[in-house]
Amino acid sequence: MAEVEEVTEGCNLPVLRRNQENEDEWPLAEILSVKDISGRKLFYVHYIDFNKRLDEWVTHDRLDLKKIQFPKKEAKTPTKNGLPGSRPSSPERDVRKTLDLQPATPSSGKTLPIPVQITLRFNLSKEREAIPGSPDQPLSSSSCVQPNHRSTKRKVEVVSPATPIPAVSETTQASVFPQNGSARRAVAAQPGRKRKSNCLGTDEDSQDSSDGIPSAPRMTGSLVSDRSHDDIVTRMKNIECIELGRHRLKPWYFSPYPQELTALPVVYLCEFCLKYVKSLKCLQRHLMKCDLRHPPGNEIYRKGTISFFEIDGRKNKSYSQNLCLLAKCFLDHKTLYYDTDPFLFYVMTEYDSKGFHIVGYFSKEKESTEDYNVACILTLPPYQRRGYGKLLIEFSYELSKVEGKTGTPEKPLSDLGLLSYRSYWSQTILEILMNLKLENGERPQITINEISEITSIKKEDVISTLQYLNLINYYKVNSPFRGP
């Protein structure tokens, strides 16, 4: 049995925690950091295969030292001919180099897209119920969407449950929730200021010069953070508690607030300008000077006590930066390092006698080449599970309708974001299908394009939602022309 002093960073061992059913369990966890406070050791653990927001500091009595797994020492890279930095060659590598040097043989024929017939089935009694999503289902590229091919003509039939479905020889399945396949723009790297390219780590379309200094200002942006540059510091929560108005929030993830604030038990934020201060007395002095009672920008929507404000990231840079710092506490895979110029922020508020209190927000690029209508979206924890997330999503699509475009959120989505979007897409599409009426006594028909035009939901998201609901089948057709 190992001793407590032997537990170091990188060790894996079971840790006692209490689950949602108020039962004790011992999931495997990784030790990320160790600190000593007044002679008492504390261990920061990440529960493997669990969401990072569950990470926490624990004492040694919650560790199962009998099953500890010490980190493996990295083996030194073997050298070739005794020269440092070189690796021994392998037959496989030599063969791969030979194959890469061979010229590609041009294809003599052209591959034509296969016509696809789509049969749509649904059960009204079942689909009226809310359909929750699964946050752990991976995003994958849809095999039925081929951006480099000609668009195939699709036929969608709404079939009653009693209608028999014709037998076909082969059926091809579409994958669930397609991820965008095009590379996002990489961002200029500066010391102390980084922007991640995309979740796959591609660096196409970079505007960086060879020495790391940006050659031109970036006009577009992506808020997706790839995880390849994570270190121990960014994997750990650095803020203990945030006081925002009448709420105290416990952050879920790391946020790049100034380092002097990370040692404080509570960080105080002005709920109107989101300025952060280190003490309650500083906050009281600030409130005597702050004349804001609503987010800066234009109020573009109001109904009852709910209002939406549009904020330009270039004109209101200080507020936008403070909003991003707050949002980063609850968004793990998104990042924004003070570069707010290419973005618009839409902040949803609740009004009372004291002013307009922030509920949530979403951001979007001013000019998106990939039809993104949302870059980041967040409902603050005190307002979650009250329908505000779906309202934010619906508002983003209403803006797309005004622009006359179809839109999609920037991928990957967080687990809670995926649940919200699946719920919104499912409800919106099912309402359209259930409201279809008979025409001349024939079965109602609607196409994927028509659903996309009505809802402003991108076709890929419509297809993936229908597939997720098990309402769509794909059939291979031998000929583009069907017989009588």
Side-chain angles (χ1 to χ4, degrees):
M1 180 176 173
E3 300 293 336
V4 177
E5 290 73 16
E6 300 179 27
V7 181
T8 59
E9 298 174 359
C11 291
N12 292 349
L13 74 170
V15 177
L16 176 64
R17 70 177 296 270
R18 184 153 292 184
N19 58 23
Q20 295 180 350
E21 288 76 20
N22 207 23
E23 299 174 351
D24 291 342
E25 59 181 4
W26 293 84
L28 188 65
E30 178 187 359
I31 304 295
L32 298 184
S33 180
V34 182
K35 67 180 180 181
D36 196 325
I37 299 180
S38 302
R40 185 186 183 191
K41 275 198 170 184
L42 295 177
F43 305 88
Y44 192 87
V45 299
H46 165 63
Y47 298 103
I48 299 173
D49 297 330
F50 285 74
N51 194 289
K52 280 176 59 177
R53 62 173 170 262
L54 300 177
D55 297 358
E56 58 182 339
W57 288 98
V58 301
T59 54
H60 73 277
D61 56 342
R62 293 175 57 183
L63 306 179
D64 187 356
L65 301 178
K66 297 178 182 179
K67 301 180 180 179
I68 188 171
Q69 303 172 12
F70 292 100
K72 296 180 180 179
K73 295 182 179 180
E74 297 183 0
K76 295 182 179 180
T77 304
T79 58
K80 179 181 179 181
N81 300 329
L83 298 177
S86 60
R87 299 181 179 179
S89 60
S90 64
E92 294 180 1
R93 182 174 299 176
D94 295 336
V95 171
R96 191 179 300 113
K97 289 181 179 180
T98 305
L99 294 177
D100 292 340
L101 294 175
Q102 294 179 356
T105 305
S107 177
S108 58
K110 296 182 178 180
T111 304
L112 297 178
I114 301 175
V116 177
Q117 176 189 355
I118 303 175
T119 302
L120 192 62
R121 299 176 295 169
F122 63 97
N123 189 330
L124 295 182
S125 61
K126 293 183 179 180
E127 305 308 337
R128 290 181 187 274
E129 301 175 359
I131 303 173
S134 174
D136 54 357
Q137 189 162 3
L139 303 175
S140 58
S141 300
S142 176
S143 58
C144 63
V145 181
Q146 300 288 348
N148 296 328
H149 289 177
R150 292 185 305 165
S151 59
T152 57
K153 186 176 181 180
R154 296 178 174 87
K155 180 180 179 182
V156 181
E157 300 178 27
V158 179
V159 186
S160 64
T163 305
I165 300 175
V168 290
S169 58
E170 293 181 71
T171 303
T172 56
Q173 296 290 338
S175 58
V176 180
F177 276 83
Q179 201 173 9
N180 88 85
S182 54
R184 294 190 181 90
R185 292 180 178 272
V187 181
Q190 298 181 10
R193 170 176 163 183
K194 294 182 181 179
R195 178 76 73 113
K196 315 300 182 182
S197 58
N198 78 338
C199 57
L200 300 178
T202 56
D203 285 332
E204 296 184 12
D205 230 359
S206 175
Q207 297 183 11
D208 292 4
S209 58
S210 58
D211 56 358
I213 301 175
S215 57
R218 184 180 53 80
M219 300 307 296
T220 61
S222 170
L223 296 185
V224 174
S225 168
D226 71 22
R227 316 311 301 173
S228 60
H229 301 287
D230 275 1
D231 53 22
I232 294 298
V233 174
T234 58
R235 291 180 64 186
M236 297 169 51
K237 304 171 193 175
N238 59 335
I239 302 295
E240 184 69 24
C241 182
I242 291 176
E243 183 171 305
L244 180 67
R246 62 179 181 270
H247 300 290
R248 280 202 169 185
L249 314 177
K250 191 173 182 180
W252 295 348
Y253 307 110
F254 170 88
S255 183
Y257 277 102
Q259 189 171 2
E260 58 267 20
L261 298 180
T262 60
L264 300 175
V266 180
V267 176
Y268 296 87
L269 267 62
C270 172
E271 60 178 330
F272 299 113
C273 71
L274 302 183
K275 178 181 174 62
Y276 47 85
V277 293
K278 61 183 180 180
S279 68
L280 182 59
K281 185 171 289 187
C282 292
L283 178 64
Q284 292 172 346
R285 287 201 301 263
H286 167 78
L287 292 177
M288 295 175 64
K289 303 175 184 178
C290 183
D291 55 356
L292 278 180
R293 288 299 174 265
H294 60 78
N298 301 321
E299 184 180 12
I300 60 175
Y301 176 84
R302 178 187 293 181
K303 184 175 181 181
T305 59
I306 300 297
S307 294
F308 276 85
F309 290 84
E310 183 183 64
I311 298 157
D312 191 321
R314 182 180 62 84
K315 296 179 181 178
N316 300 282
K317 184 168 293 188
S318 177
Y319 180 90
S320 301
Q321 291 172 356
N322 291 335
L323 178 61
C324 292
L325 286 173
L326 174 61
K328 186 63 183 70
C329 292
F330 307 99
L331 296 173
D332 181 37
H333 62 288
K334 299 287 186 178
T335 182
L336 186 63
Y337 290 89
Y338 305 106
D339 192 7
T340 62
D341 290 12
F343 295 94
L344 293 172
F345 298 84
Y346 295 87
V347 178
M348 181 170 64
T349 62
E350 264 190 350
Y351 174 77
D352 62 14
S353 58
K354 295 184 179 180
F356 295 81
H357 308 278
I358 180 172
V359 171
Y361 89 104
F362 70 89
S363 60
K364 62 181 293 186
E365 293 182 65
K366 297 175 183 176
E367 296 292 337
S368 175
T369 58
E370 298 173 317
D371 296 331
Y372 293 140
N373 62 355
V374 165
C376 277
I377 185 168
L378 171 69
T379 303
L380 291 176
Y383 300 95
Q384 291 179 359
R385 297 181 179 272
R386 294 167 59 180
Y388 289 124
K390 190 174 291 186
L391 179 58
L392 285 167
I393 295 172
E394 185 174 3
F395 195 84
S396 69
Y397 280 105
E398 291 298 324
L399 291 177
S400 297
K401 291 178 183 178
V402 172
E403 297 171 357
K405 301 177 181 177
T406 59
T408 185
E410 187 173 296
K411 310 296 191 312
L413 295 169
S414 65
D415 53 352
L416 298 180
L418 182 57
L419 281 173
S420 299
Y421 267 96
R422 278 180 173 172
S423 176
Y424 172 78
W425 288 334
S426 300
Q427 179 180 342
T428 304
I429 294 173
L430 288 174
E431 285 178 355
I432 292 176
L433 297 181
M434 289 187 292
N435 291 330
L436 290 176
K437 298 180 180 179
L438 296 175
E439 297 179 0
N440 299 327
E442 297 181 357
R443 292 181 304 182
Q445 295 186 1
I446 190 170
T447 64
I448 298 292
N449 286 337
E450 289 173 347
I451 296 177
S452 180
E453 291 173 2
I454 294 172
T455 61
S456 285
I457 300 174
K458 206 168 184 179
K459 288 187 292 184
E460 288 84 349
D461 295 331
V462 174
I463 294 171
S464 62
T465 303
L466 292 172
Q467 179 65 29
Y468 170 72
L469 297 175
N470 198 24
L471 297 179
I472 191 169
N473 289 328
Y474 296 87
Y475 299 108
K476 287 185 178 180
V477 181
N478 295 328
S479 172
F481 303 100
R482 300 188 63 189

